[in-house]
Amino acid sequence: MEKKITPYKDSSEGKKKQVEQMFDTISENYDGLNRVISLGSDIKWRKKVIAMVAASKPKNILDIATGTGDLAIQFAEKTSAEKIIGLDISEGMLSVARKKVLGKETAAKIEFVQADSEALPFEDNTFDAITVSFGIRNFENLEKGLSEIFRVLKKGGIFVILETSVPTKFPFKQGYYIYSKNILPLVGKVFSKDKVAYKYLSESASVFPYGEKLNNILRKIGFNEVKNKPQTFGVATIYKATK
């Protein structure tokens, strides 16, 4: 059974509510910290996700766990999609996202929606493409969230996940362990208002199913053509599947 990691160990709230609270707290400096923590690699990984989605020529895209909206905004700028919805549980993150598109031409294409990824407020078979970037490990019930994604994805639609993973080869495995256990929480502690947030992010990454384990969960839900490609020695992985 998967070990359940939550941000606030002494909280009586469920994981979902704790995650919402955590991201509300760190929303203002989330982008800058991401660049520092990933050493800028997250920009390169997202470019690959955008290229994958753009190649499928979607008319509409749902970006789940959109956070401060970076991916949704780039979809508006770099794909032919007519409508992009960025969805997140954290209103704090979404308020930052909405500020980013103010006055931009692409603003008409983008809508930011606060909602629960495990109870998506959309009809069946709505979206040509769905993405989740660094958010799937925050689902309280992974299979429920994936089932919802499957439900609202159109037949033949593309689903892309970008998520942290754990390197398996020496010396990257050992280096990642030192970085995630010591440096990552320290950086978060120094720069973030929330002292536990980045400790949670590294802990949740260490127990989350990745690689073939996540592939098998996707297949169990009903996804087809499931593939994964590790990025930067395995510290992140891109998953691609269809319905």
Side-chain angles (χ1 to χ4, degrees):
M1 188 176 173
E2 183 193 336
K3 185 183 175 187
K4 186 159 278 191
I5 300 290
T6 57
Y8 308 108
K9 305 290 187 287
D10 55 352
S11 174
S12 60
E13 298 277 12
K15 179 176 178 178
K16 199 176 294 179
K17 196 69 188 171
Q18 289 189 43
V19 166
E20 179 183 0
Q21 180 189 337
M22 179 189 76
F23 281 113
D24 280 347
T25 305
I26 67 174
S27 57
E28 289 298 329
N29 53 14
Y30 180 76
D31 286 344
L33 273 169
N34 263 2
R35 299 297 97 82
V36 171
I37 286 164
S38 73
L39 308 176
S41 295
D42 63 306
I43 295 170
K44 181 173 65 177
W45 302 332
R46 284 188 176 93
K47 280 182 180 175
K48 291 183 180 181
V49 171
I50 292 159
M52 275 184 190
V53 172
S56 71
K57 295 183 168 53
K59 287 185 179 176
N60 59 3
I61 303 169
L62 173 63
D63 182 40
I64 293 174
T66 197
T68 60
D70 278 2
L71 201 57
I73 293 164
Q74 288 177 73
F75 283 141
E77 294 169 347
K78 296 174 182 177
T79 74
S80 57
E82 297 160 9
K83 182 70 178 177
I84 297 101
I85 294 178
L87 180 144
D88 205 281
I89 200 169
S90 165
E91 185 56 44
M93 296 290 263
L94 291 173
S95 67
V96 176
R98 291 188 187 105
K99 286 174 192 170
K100 286 182 181 179
V101 297
L102 278 176
K104 286 194 174 186
E105 281 182 33
T106 50
K109 287 185 180 183
I110 306 173
E111 181 184 356
F112 289 112
V113 174
Q114 184 186 24
D116 180 359
S117 54
E118 294 168 40
L120 296 171
F122 309 110
E123 298 292 325
D124 296 0
N125 308 301
T126 297
F127 297 97
D128 297 311
I130 300 177
T131 57
V132 187
S133 176
F134 300 118
I136 211 150
R137 75 180 186 278
N138 296 321
F139 288 7
E140 187 157 31
N141 183 321
L142 177 60
E143 291 193 15
K144 187 178 178 185
L146 291 173
S147 295
E148 274 291 273
I149 289 166
F150 187 80
R151 178 182 68 78
V152 303
L153 184 64
K154 285 181 185 174
K155 189 168 176 59
I158 182 176
F159 176 39
V160 182
I161 300 168
L162 169 58
E163 188 52 87
T164 53
S165 48
V166 180
T168 55
K169 293 179 181 176
F170 177 85
F172 309 112
K173 181 178 180 180
Q174 288 73 15
Y176 176 84
Y177 182 84
I178 292 165
Y179 181 73
S180 64
K181 293 288 180 187
N182 301 293
I183 300 170
L184 176 59
L186 181 63
V187 170
K189 194 174 181 181
V190 170
F191 293 102
S192 176
K193 288 188 287 184
D194 192 319
K195 300 287 187 267
V196 304
Y198 287 85
K199 186 170 187 288
Y200 158 75
L201 291 173
S202 64
E203 282 183 354
S204 61
S206 71
V207 300
F208 188 76
Y210 62 91
E212 197 57 28
K213 284 185 181 177
L214 186 53
N215 287 350
N216 287 333
I217 294 169
L218 289 166
R219 291 184 187 112
K220 179 184 173 185
I221 299 300
F223 288 100
N224 301 311
E225 302 176 77
V226 179
K227 296 174 184 173
N228 72 286
K229 191 164 186 183
Q231 305 294 312
T232 316
F233 313 115
V235 300
T237 300
I238 296 174
Y239 304 81
K240 181 183 174 186
T242 60
K243 179 174 175 179

